[in-house]
Amino acid sequence: MTVIPIMIDLEDKKVVVVGGGKIAKRKLDVLLDSEAELIVISPSVTKEINLWAEEEKIIWKQKEFEPQDAEEAFLLVIATDNPTVNAAVRKAAPPNCLVNASGEAESGNVHFPAHFKRGKLSIAVATAGASPMLAKMIKQELQMQFDESYEQYLEFLYSARQLLKQTGLPRSAKEEYLRNFLDQSFLHPEIQQQALGELQLLANKAGDSGQGSN
């Protein structure tokens, strides 16, 4: 099976997780911030999943899986260690439903990569099921390389890009600014603020010129 990396918006989408153990908990860790409608189907769950249900972050249906539980699911996560249940869940998946099968990657069409975020920066590592441990190791190395300072750095890059759109500068000049901002020196908040201040002046100047020509 050949897979390609893709990012997807799950807001308000129905996501059904079948299973309530450690595997389900790991999947939910990733899904909690997605603003999806998260439904867990399992007779029992971990303490963490139970707490999320009490906090109304998820819906826990304390029962065995039935085919109707998968109806209208946008994403179906199979997270049990019972082959019979797993097979039943796969069979019940609606047409065109995304399916993630833990431990049986080849039987699903969606993989959950090792993943972390630094604000607007999102980095994922996948091995197509060959070695989740290697993916985790690479993720840990990248987390050290791209530390928490990158969260503010991405906010700076976003703000700088928005201001450049208002400056009226030629495209080549805007691209030169953006290339310069990739220098490691711009990881420092003080230099970020100085650069934003300069761009704000350019944007204000462009705005004043536009008003004067009317």
Side-chain angles (χ1 to χ4, degrees), residues 128-177:
S131 178
M133 292 181 69
L134 176 61
K136 183 177 180 180
M137 183 181 75
I138 295 173
K139 168 192 167 183
Q140 291 171 342
E141 292 174 356
L142 290 171
Q143 282 178 308
M144 290 187 288
Q145 179 180 352
F146 298 95
D147 60 21
E148 288 79 4
S149 65
Y150 275 81
E151 182 169 349
Q152 175 58 39
Y153 179 49
L154 264 292
E155 291 297 331
F156 157 69
L157 291 176
Y158 175 80
S159 297
R161 192 162 178 262
Q162 299 309 306
L163 284 172
L164 278 168
K165 292 178 180 179
Q166 303 172 33
T167 61
L169 291 172
R171 179 175 179 178
S172 59
K174 294 177 183 177
E175 291 178 347
E176 183 65 23
Y177 268 105

Side-chain angles (χ1 to χ4, degrees), residues 12-139:
D12 296 329
K13 299 292 193 300
K14 182 179 180 179
V15 177
V16 178
V17 179
V18 182
K22 293 181 179 179
I23 296 174
K25 187 264 180 186
R26 287 201 300 269
K27 302 297 185 181
L28 288 165
D29 273 333
V30 177
L31 292 165
L32 280 176
D33 292 332
S34 67
E35 299 185 27
E37 178 190 1
L38 299 174
I39 301 172
V40 174
I41 310 295
S42 180
S44 60
V45 296
T46 66
K47 291 181 179 179
E48 293 90 346
I49 295 176
N50 184 52
L51 178 61
W52 292 332
E54 291 177 350
E55 295 173 342
E56 299 184 349
K57 294 180 179 179
I58 67 167
I59 298 171
W60 172 29
K61 295 185 178 181
Q62 191 173 6
K63 59 190 283 295
E64 298 287 351
F65 174 80
E66 298 175 284
Q68 57 264 35
D69 293 322
E71 291 179 358
E72 299 183 357
F74 180 83
L75 169 63
L76 194 56
V77 179
I78 306 172
T80 87
D81 56 6
N82 186 319
T84 302
V85 174
N86 293 349
V89 178
R90 288 196 300 272
K91 184 178 180 180
N96 302 319
C97 177
L98 301 178
V99 178
N100 172 257
S102 302
E104 301 174 343
E106 66 282 353
S107 65
N109 54 20
V110 173
H111 295 176
F112 278 39
H115 169 251
F116 70 97
K117 296 187 71 176
R118 298 289 188 236
K120 288 183 170 62
L121 176 64
S122 183
I123 297 178
V125 182
T127 61
S131 178
M133 292 181 69
L134 176 61
K136 183 177 180 180
M137 183 181 75
I138 295 173
K139 168 192 167 183

Side-chain angles (χ1 to χ4, degrees), residues 177-214:
Y177 268 105
L178 294 174
R179 276 192 293 270
N180 289 338
F181 293 155
L182 297 181
D183 188 271
Q184 291 289 302
S185 63
F186 285 94
L187 285 170
H188 299 286
E190 298 83 2
I191 297 179
Q192 294 172 13
Q193 291 304 313
Q194 180 181 349
L196 291 176
E198 294 173 359
L199 291 179
Q200 186 65 66
L201 289 175
L202 288 173
N204 292 343
K205 183 178 180 181
D208 293 341
S209 298
Q211 291 176 4
S213 62
N214 291 332

